[in-house]
Amino acid sequence: MSSPESRAAQKDRYAAIIDQDDVTEEVRNIALNYDPLNRSGREGFHVTEDGELHIDDEKVIEEHRIVENRIPNDAIRIVRLPAERGQLIHRYGENGFRLYELPAPVEGAVVGLLGPNGVGKSTALRILAGQLKPNLGALDDERGWDGIVREFRGTAVQTYLERLREGDVRAAFKPQRVGRLPEEYDGDVGSLLEARDERGASDDAIERLELDGLLGRDVDELSGGELQRVAVAATVVADADTYLIDEPSSYLDVGQRLAVARVLEALSERKRVVVVDHDLITLDLMADTVHLLYGEPGGFGVVSRPLSTRRGINQFLKGHLRAENVRIREEAIDFLRRPDRPDDDGEPVVEFPTLSKEFRSFSLRTEPGTIHSGEVLGILGRNGLGKTTFAEMLADIVEPDAGDVGGGVRISYKPQYVSPSFDGSVRELFATETGDVRSRGFETRIERPFDIEPLYERDVRDLSGGELQRVSIALALARSADVYLLDEPSAYLDVDRRVSLATQLRAFVEREDAPCLVIDHDLLLLNYVSDRTMVFEGEPGRRGIGRSPQSVHEGINRFLRTVDVTFRRDPNTGRPRVNKPGSQKDREQKRSDDYYAA
C-alpha cells in the first residue's frame, strides 16, 4: 500500500508555494496573523528554526487565500490542486515543486512528453536518466531503492526503476540548452562525434542530419541550429538502451526537424526513446504515445496516463483529459484558426528594392517588396538561406552590396540568438534600455501582455531559455520604433507561451499600427500570426533568394514544396499534420500542388 506521504488524496486540495527570497518581515507578519488556522489555535503558517516561513502541505486550505490576497507581492501563492493526485514522485524542499507520476520508457517506441515549461518534464527526464533519485516526497529520510520500487508494484514504471536500482540502465541525454555545448567540448565536430560514437553509427547520423560540411568546424563556431543537430548526433551515436531528448526542434527549420524525427524513429526500433518537444508537428510525426504534463508551473506537475499521439495532442489543445476527467486549462487553445484580417493593407512603411549581399561562400538576393503599417509579415525558409542577413540589412546592421533600404526608419530588432550578457536584474535591464518601467503605458503595452512582472527581480544571467526569450521579445517591443523585427521568437517557448505570443503580438501590431516581421520555423505560429509571408529559397549555405511578399497560404505552400512535405488537416481540431512520405494522401496533394491543405 502507498504511504500517506507519497499518495495524494483523491479530492480537491490546496498547496502553498512560498518564494523565500520575497518573504519580507511584512509578508511574514501577514501570514502569521491572518492565517485562519493560527487564529483558531491550530498551527498553520509558522517560522522554522532556519528562519523560513513554512506551512505543512496537508494543512493548506482554501481559506489561506486570505493571506495570499493581503500580501503586497507574490511571495505566497495558494493554488488549487484538483488534479494533484497519484503517486508523488519527487519533492524539492518543504514548499518546493512536486512531481506526480512518472512516464515509462517503452522499448521499440518513441514516448513524447508535452506540456508547459515548469511542470516537471526535465525532472522526469533526470529521474529516468538516473541523475535524480526520487524521494517520494519524504525529505527527512533516505528512501532505499527497494522501498521506492515497491510503490510502483504492477506498473510499467516498476520494471524500469528496478533496472535503475540494479544499475542496468544506460541512458544518453541531450539537454535543452545546446548553447552550452562549446563550454563542455573544445574541438571540432568530427572529433566530437568520433569520441562519442560507441556503436559505429556516426556515418549514418552525419548523413541523415546533413553534418558533412560541419565536421572540420570548431564547436564554438557553430550556429544554434548547427549546435542542435550536432548535439542530437552526439547523443544518438552513444551506446545506450534509453535515449532522453530534451527539445530537439529549437532553431531547426522544418526539413531539419523532420530529419531529426526520422532519426529518432529509426533509433526507437531497437531502443527506448523519450522526447520533450513543443513543436506539435514534429512530435506528432515521431511519437508513438504521449504523456501530457500539467499543473502549476513552478508549483507542481502531474504526468498523465499514456495516450495515442493524435488523441493526446488533441486533448492537450482542447484542455481536457477525458479519461482522467481533468481540465488542464480554462479555455481550449484556439491556435490554429486565423483571426479575421482587415481588407485595408495599411500605409507603406518600408519599401525595399532588390537587395544583394556577397560573402566568401554565400550569396543572397531578395526581390523587392513593401511592408505596410499594422501588418505581420511572416518570413520562412530553411536555415542557411539568408533570412537573418535580410533582417540585418533592414535593421542597418549589415550593408547590402546592391540596393538601398533607405534611411529614416527606426527598426527595433530581436536577434536570433539571445544570451544573458546583461549584469543585473530584469527590471534594471528594462530601465536601462527603455527608461521608466513604472508608467501605466508600459504596464498595459508590455508588462502585463508579455507576463514580465514575475521576472523583474531575477538576475538576467539566471533566466531559463524560455524566460530569456520572453524578456528579449518584450524588450524589442518596448522600444519606440517604426518597424519591429523578431528573429525566431518561438525558440524555447512552450505551446502555451507561443499561443500567448501570437495573440499578444497581433494585439500589439493592431494597437501600435506598426508592422512586425517575424522569422520563425513554427508553421502553426506563422499561420496564425501572419498577414502575408516572405519565402526564402535556394541552396542552404551557398545561395539564397528571398521572394516578394505573398499570401499566407501561397507562401507556406511554396515553402513546403521546397522541402517536399505535405500537410493535411486533423478533422477534429483543424491542426496541420504531416503526411507520411509516399502515403496516398501525400501523393494526392503533390499531384494537385496542394502541399498545405486548407
Side-chain angles (χ1 to χ4, degrees):
M1 294 292 291
S2 299
S3 63
E5 298 87 22
S6 63
R7 183 65 63 178
Q10 304 295 311
K11 62 180 181 179
D12 287 2
R13 297 179 64 239
Y14 296 82
I17 310 302
I18 303 175
D19 187 341
Q20 299 292 343
D21 292 337
D22 285 345
V23 175
T24 63
E25 191 66 31
E26 180 184 10
V27 168
R28 188 177 292 111
N29 289 336
I30 291 174
L32 298 177
N33 294 329
Y34 286 93
D35 185 321
L37 296 182
N38 290 344
R39 299 179 76 167
S40 65
R42 294 172 290 170
E43 184 180 66
F45 279 103
H46 60 278
V47 178
T48 67
E49 293 181 358
D50 297 330
E52 292 190 342
L53 188 65
H54 173 70
I55 184 171
D56 294 337
D57 285 344
E58 63 272 14
K59 294 182 179 180
V60 181
I61 56 178
E62 183 178 12
E63 286 74 15
H64 278 116
R65 286 180 171 173
I66 296 171
V67 174
E68 179 186 27
N69 293 335
R70 284 186 173 272
I71 63 173
N73 58 16
D74 292 328
I76 300 175
R77 288 181 295 149
I78 306 299
V79 295
R80 191 166 68 128
L81 311 178
E84 191 175 1
R85 56 170 63 90
Q87 180 68 50
L88 177 55
I89 302 297
H90 195 78
R91 176 168 62 165
Y92 295 95
E94 290 288 352
N95 294 106
F97 176 82
R98 296 173 287 280
L99 176 67
Y100 293 86
E101 300 295 351
L102 195 66
V106 177
E107 189 170 356
V110 175
V111 175
L113 304 185
L114 175 62
N117 288 330
V119 294
K121 297 186 300 297
S122 293
T123 294
L125 290 187
R126 289 184 63 207
I127 292 173
L128 296 177
Q131 298 176 0
L132 177 67
K133 185 179 179 182
N135 59 25
L136 305 185
L139 303 176
D140 44 359
D141 63 45
E142 178 66 23
R143 286 293 180 102
W145 270 111
D146 290 344
I148 293 171
V149 170
R150 277 197 301 271
E151 294 290 344
F152 296 90
R153 269 198 299 261
T155 68
V157 173
Q158 178 190 6
T159 303
Y160 189 82
L161 292 181
E162 285 175 342
R163 296 181 66 239
L164 269 180
R165 177 186 62 187
E166 301 302 325
D168 196 27
V169 170
R170 188 171 188 199
F173 185 57
K174 188 209 81 71
Q176 178 195 66
R177 301 288 290 275
V178 294
R180 294 173 178 168
L181 184 59
E183 302 172 9
E184 301 171 2
Y185 186 83
D186 182 18
D188 61 63
V189 172
S191 300
L192 169 63
L193 296 182
E194 182 179 356
R196 299 288 176 90
D197 187 7
E198 299 171 329
R199 57 188 191 90
S202 59
D203 288 346
D204 182 65
I206 289 168
E207 180 182 356
R208 286 172 173 262
L209 298 174
E210 300 179 347
L211 299 177
D212 297 84
L214 303 180
L215 297 180
R217 299 259 304 276
D218 284 343
V219 172
D220 61 5
E221 297 175 353
L222 302 181
S223 68
E226 292 166 341
L227 280 172
Q228 186 72 266
R229 287 182 288 143
V230 168
V232 170
T235 304
V236 302
V237 299
D239 186 14
D241 52 70
T242 303
Y243 295 82
L244 307 166
I245 313 295
D246 200 350
E247 295 195 33
S249 294
S250 296
Y251 299 122
L252 299 187
D253 62 43
V254 170
Q256 293 165 343
R257 292 179 186 195
L258 299 184
V260 167
R262 288 162 185 151
V263 166
L264 298 179
E265 274 187 301
L267 184 66
S268 72
E269 294 176 3
R270 309 174 303 280
K271 306 288 186 177
R272 299 175 180 87
V273 179
V274 181
V275 180
V276 173
D277 211 321
H278 298 302
D279 187 290
L280 298 182
I281 291 172
T282 307
L283 192 65
D284 187 20
L285 177 66
M286 65 180 160
D288 297 288
T289 61
V290 297
H291 293 267
L292 305 185
L293 282 83
Y294 58 92
E296 178 73 19
F300 77 98
V302 180
V303 181
S304 79
R305 304 168 190 169
L307 297 162
S308 71
T309 303
R310 177 175 175 271
R311 182 174 297 151
I313 292 177
N314 285 353
Q315 290 186 20
F316 174 78
L317 293 173
K318 291 178 180 178
H320 182 236
L321 306 187
R322 295 180 61 185
E324 301 177 36
N325 194 27
V326 174
R327 177 155 291 282
I328 60 177
R329 69 173 63 84
E330 292 184 5
E331 297 180 356
I333 289 182
D334 191 20
F335 190 36
L336 308 167
R337 185 181 306 131
R338 294 184 59 213
D340 294 332
R341 304 290 197 245
D343 295 332
D344 182 15
D345 286 334
E347 295 296 322
V349 176
V350 176
E351 296 185 55
F352 55 91
T354 297
L355 302 173
S356 65
K357 183 67 181 179
E358 293 281 343
F359 297 95
R360 186 175 60 182
S361 58
F362 177 75
S363 64
L364 171 66
R365 181 175 69 86
T366 64
E367 297 176 346
T370 301
I371 303 170
H372 302 93
S373 62
E375 80 164 340
V376 176
L377 179 65
I379 300 178
L380 66 161
R382 298 206 62 177
N383 282 331
L385 292 177
K387 300 185 302 298
T388 295
T389 300
F390 170 69
E392 292 176 340
M393 287 193 293
L394 290 184
D396 201 26
I397 298 173
V398 170
E399 183 178 355
D401 295 330
D404 184 11
V405 177
V409 177
R410 299 171 300 166
I411 295 181
S412 180
Y413 177 46
K414 185 206 82 71
Q416 179 182 21
Y417 304 118
V418 292
S419 60
S421 57
F422 184 80
D423 188 13
S425 69
V426 171
R427 185 188 296 276
E428 291 168 338
L429 172 63
F430 274 92
T432 300
E433 293 284 335
T434 67
D436 186 14
V437 298
R438 294 180 173 85
S439 68
R440 178 58 60 87
F442 182 85
E443 179 183 348
T444 56
R445 290 176 60 252
I446 303 298
E447 181 184 298
R448 284 189 303 189
F450 297 96
D451 195 24
I452 299 301
E453 195 275 336
L455 304 177
Y456 269 156
E457 306 312 320
R458 298 272 302 281
D459 192 287
V460 174
R461 297 182 185 275
D462 293 335
L463 298 179
S464 69
E467 291 167 340
L468 187 61
Q469 189 71 268
R470 284 163 51 199
V471 168
S472 299
I473 293 167
L475 192 63
L477 298 178
R479 301 187 184 106
S480 178
D482 301 307
V483 179
Y484 296 88
L485 206 164
L486 307 180
D487 199 344
E488 296 205 34
S490 75
Y492 298 122
L493 297 186
D494 59 41
V495 176
D496 297 77
R497 288 289 182 189
R498 293 181 190 194
V499 173
S500 177
L501 168 64
T503 302
Q504 298 303 333
L505 193 56
R506 287 294 332 162
F508 177 88
V509 167
E510 291 167 7
R511 181 175 61 247
E512 301 295 319
D513 198 31
C516 183
L517 282 66
V518 178
I519 302 172
D520 213 280
H521 296 300
D522 189 323
L523 294 184
L524 302 187
L525 173 71
L526 290 179
N527 179 73
Y528 179 91
V529 80
S530 302
D531 295 300
R532 292 186 299 155
T533 55
M534 184 173 177
V535 180
F536 279 67
E537 301 171 337
E539 185 180 354
R542 299 290 299 276
R543 59 180 182 82
I545 179 167
R547 301 299 182 182
S548 295
Q550 57 191 145
S551 74
V552 172
H553 185 269
E554 289 173 341
I556 295 180
N557 198 66
R558 180 171 194 156
F559 167 67
L560 292 179
R561 192 185 305 123
T562 68
V563 293
D564 197 34
V565 173
T566 61
F567 281 71
R568 67 190 186 280
R569 294 283 179 172
D570 183 89
N572 291 331
T573 64
R575 65 181 174 91
R577 304 184 67 196
V578 177
N579 291 316
K580 293 287 186 181
S583 67
Q584 180 178 348
K585 190 67 175 175
D586 180 61
R587 295 195 305 270
E588 288 176 355
Q589 288 184 219
K590 286 178 178 176
R591 280 197 298 267
S592 61
D593 197 32
D594 188 15
Y595 284 72
Y596 196 60

